[in-house]
């Protein structure tokens, strides 16, 4: 029998149920061996991969590794600046990896790597109409998130901060607003620097966290992967448990009766 | 018949005349493929092909002869994003 502390709480997304709410990216790892260690330590069941020109036959590949580990691949359109390129990349990904899932990234410029809202929305509209399950990487803009939701994406993935910055969640209020209005899961994507950032994302009500650099570029990637796994679980539990309201003044946690006070009632 | 010149993944390349997309994929992955474009060894290939910007579905690879001077993209999953 389940107790109040042992609830089975899978993430329901795009037709699957996932026990892990941490989605690891694959970017930034110094080697495939390090990446594999980190993926295993993170407990992730889904990882995101880029689509690139085939380099050479032979040797281990990311695809072969994921097949071996049994980790689902969520292909992405990283590196695309236009809706046209993103849609073509998504179609190549669907053919290559035999999945309708696509993490849609359409970036505006190479310095911020922030999404281009116009191209993003246009690509999302096209891909949804062609039967893709679109995981939309977006700005932390509640208005744009709402538009993506309306057009039928399967997940809204706002950036906490620009990709690779490790600045954490720069606008927690916007993330909370996106969560509170969304009809699909919100996955915090990009900007995570350390474990407390991942916990905060979950406390704000995100259904999952996607991160790569914070783990792959850490001094000890597998150890950071473990920290992120635990942070996501802790943040989720805290969200479900319901935090206490914030107050301006103290509220004693010990009873006022029975204290040794020379002047009775002085502090009551 | 002479070999045909193409652009493969942004680089000049020559293919034997009459090469199909299936031949090209086998050449690069080292895996013989079925008529449906699946690896004979039962593993998943994880690759896709576009010719002149149009995707060629794997089921069409065996019957698709690569035209001369075409631009071919052969892609797979890579680290990133």
């Amino acid at each position: 029998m389940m107790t109040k502390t042992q609830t089975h709480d899978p993430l329901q997304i795009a037709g699957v149920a996932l026990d892990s709410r941490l989605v690891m990216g694959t970017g930034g790892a110094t080697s495939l061996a390090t990446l594999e260690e980190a993926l295993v330590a993170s407990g992730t069941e889904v990882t995101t991969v880029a689509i690139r020109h085939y380099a050479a036959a032979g040797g281990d590949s990311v695809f072969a590794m994921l097949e071996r580990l049994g980790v689902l691949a969520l292909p992405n359109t990283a590196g695309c600046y236009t809706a046209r390129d993103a849609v073509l990349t998504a179609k190549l990904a669907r053919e290559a990896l035999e999945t309708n899932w696509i993490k849609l990234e359409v970036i505006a410029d190479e310095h911020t790597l922030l999404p281009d809202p116009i191209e993003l929305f246009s690509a999302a509209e096209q891909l949804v109409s062609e039967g893709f399950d679109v995981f939309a990487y977006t700005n932390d803009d509640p208005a744009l998130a709402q538009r993506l939701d309306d057009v039928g994406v399967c997940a809204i993935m706002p950036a906490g901060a620009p990709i690779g910055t490790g600045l954490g969640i720069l606008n927690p209020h916007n993330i909370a607003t996106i969560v509170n209005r969304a009809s699909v899961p919100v996955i915090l994507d990009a900007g995570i620097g350390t474990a407390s950032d991942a916990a905060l994302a979950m406390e704000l009500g995100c259904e999952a966290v996607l991160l790569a650099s914070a783990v792959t570029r850490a001094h000890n990637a597998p150890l950071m992967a473990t920290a992120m796994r635990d942070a996501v679980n802790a943040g989720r539990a805290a969200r479900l448990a319901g935090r206490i309201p914030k107050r301006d003044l103290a509220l004693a946690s010990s009873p006022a009766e029975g204290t040794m006070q020379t002047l009775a009632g002085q502090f009551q | 018949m002479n070999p045909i010149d193409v652009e493969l993944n942004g680089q000049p390349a020559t293919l034997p005349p009459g090469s199909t997309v299936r031949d090209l994929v086998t050449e690069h992955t080292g895996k013989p493929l079925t008529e449906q474009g699946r690896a004979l060894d039962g593993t998943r290939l994880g690759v896709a092909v576009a010719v002149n910007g149009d995707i060629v579905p794997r089921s069409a690879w065996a019957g698709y002869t690569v035209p001369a001077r075409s631009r071919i993209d052969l892609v797979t999953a890579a680290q990133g994003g």
Side-chain angles (χ1 to χ4, degrees):
Chain A
M1 192 182 118
M2 282 188 181
T3 70
K4 282 184 178 177
T5 57
Q6 291 175 319
T7 49
H8 184 54
D9 174 38
L11 168 63
Q12 305 279 351
I13 196 158
V16 301
L18 301 167
D19 286 326
S20 169
R21 289 174 177 271
L22 174 58
V23 180
M24 271 265 315
T26 55
T30 49
S31 72
L32 267 187
T34 307
L35 178 61
E36 178 169 346
E37 272 188 88
L39 285 172
V40 171
S42 74
T44 195
E45 292 165 281
V46 179
T47 190
T48 185
V49 289
I51 299 296
R52 291 291 181 271
H53 282 150
Y54 193 93
D60 202 3
S61 69
V62 173
F63 181 74
M65 182 184 79
L66 298 182
E67 290 278 283
R68 180 160 48 77
L69 296 177
V71 174
L72 293 172
L74 167 60
N76 62 59
T77 63
C80 291
Y81 289 81
T82 64
R84 188 169 176 273
D85 285 351
V87 169
L88 175 61
T89 303
K91 289 178 178 175
L92 284 166
R94 175 156 71 180
E95 188 64 27
L97 304 186
E98 298 172 75
T99 173
N100 285 329
W101 288 12
I102 191 72
K103 182 191 164 198
L104 178 61
E105 294 184 46
V106 193
I107 54 175
D109 67 82
E110 62 183 304
H111 301 294
T112 66
L113 299 179
L114 287 170
D116 181 315
I118 314 292
E119 296 292 319
L120 168 66
F121 182 78
S122 169
E125 205 168 28
Q126 289 178 57
L127 290 171
V128 167
S129 75
E130 297 200 31
F132 283 89
D133 294 319
V134 178
F135 296 63
Y137 167 61
T138 179
N139 298 290
D140 62 354
D141 172 1
L144 178 57
Q146 183 71 61
R147 292 294 301 270
L148 291 166
D149 198 341
D150 291 346
V151 89
V153 303
C154 73
I156 297 166
M157 307 181 76
I163 292 170
T165 59
L167 290 171
I169 299 177
L170 296 178
N171 194 334
H173 178 73
N174 271 16
I175 299 298
T177 303
I178 291 170
V179 165
N180 293 338
R181 300 181 347 151
S183 72
V184 293
V186 175
I187 302 176
L188 198 288
D189 183 359
I192 298 288
T194 189
S196 53
D197 301 329
L200 175 60
M202 299 304 290
E203 288 167 6
L204 290 170
C206 293
E207 291 281 332
V209 171
L210 190 151
L211 55 87
S213 305
V215 164
T216 58
R217 295 197 165 110
H219 287 300
N220 183 334
L223 186 57
M224 187 59 92
T226 309
M228 292 301 184
R229 179 197 66 196
D230 293 347
V232 166
N233 288 338
R236 176 66 179 174
R239 172 71 179 190
L240 294 178
R243 62 152 298 148
I244 60 168
K246 294 181 181 179
R247 301 166 53 95
D248 288 335
L249 293 174
L251 178 65
S253 58
S254 40
E257 295 78 26
T259 55
M260 272 58 69
Q261 290 176 355
T262 51
L263 294 170
Q266 185 175 356
F267 300 113
Q268 283 178 14
Chain B
M1 294 223 293
N2 296 321
I4 56 167
D5 292 318
V6 296
E7 182 189 304
L8 175 62
N9 288 349
Q11 300 293 323
T14 48
L15 301 177
S19 289
T20 64
V21 171
R22 178 171 72 162
D23 297 333
L24 183 78
V25 174
T26 293
E27 167 76 19
H28 284 80
T29 60
K31 291 185 178 180
L33 304 178
T34 67
E35 286 292 315
Q36 287 72 42
R38 300 196 172 274
L40 278 174
D41 65 9
T43 57
R44 296 207 304 155
L45 281 173
V47 304
V49 177
V51 176
N52 295 325
D54 291 322
I55 288 157
V56 183
R58 64 182 64 236
S59 58
W61 288 352
Y64 194 113
T65 305
V66 180
R69 291 178 299 282
S70 50
R71 181 168 55 80
I72 304 161
D73 292 295
L74 173 64
V75 302
T76 188
Q79 277 180 247

